[in-house]
Amino acid sequence: NKLLIILLSLVYLNGNDKKALDFLDQSIKLYYSDLDAMLGQAYLLKGKILDKQGKRMEAVINYKKCIKLNNYTNAISLAKKYLDDPFEG
């Protein structure tokens, strides 16, 4: 799962949002670890991409899923920030 999230981050950084969203959906669906830090990163990244695409309500849903993990990672702090101020990329 970590490798998949790293791969999708690279895809995202190369500007292929569609492919990154596909990888994100797959990695979230298949996530199996007890440690949910990477899952939080996946929800955060998905929210950021959706915000960039103007899909604010879908982005908010993903930020809230990230926050709900309550795992004290930086992803939680950023998700809270993007709930108030949409990510603009």
Side-chain angles (χ1 to χ4, degrees), residues 3-88:
L3 182 59
L4 186 58
I5 291 173
I6 291 168
L7 177 62
L8 72 90
S9 294
L10 291 173
V11 170
Y12 168 72
L13 291 173
N14 285 323
N16 193 335
D17 290 351
K18 166 105 174 74
K19 186 168 267 194
L21 282 173
D22 290 343
F23 278 128
L24 280 165
D25 287 338
Q26 183 179 6
S27 66
I28 289 168
K29 181 180 176 183
L30 299 175
Y31 199 82
Y32 59 86
S33 176
D34 289 339
L35 301 173
D36 56 10
M38 295 303 284
L39 183 59
Q41 290 291 336
Y43 282 129
L44 176 66
L45 183 55
K46 186 173 180 181
K48 289 168 64 174
I49 293 170
L50 292 167
D51 254 344
K52 268 182 38 180
Q53 294 180 339
K55 299 176 181 176
R56 181 67 180 146
M57 295 311 296
E58 291 178 59
V60 166
I61 289 168
N62 282 278
Y63 295 142
K64 287 182 177 180
K65 286 180 180 180
C66 177
I67 293 165
K68 187 176 179 182
L69 295 174
N70 199 27
N71 60 16
Y72 305 104
T73 63
N74 189 46
I76 304 287
S77 301
L78 289 172
K80 288 178 180 177
K81 174 185 172 190
Y82 296 139
L83 276 180
D84 295 330
D85 298 314
F87 177 77
E88 296 180 12

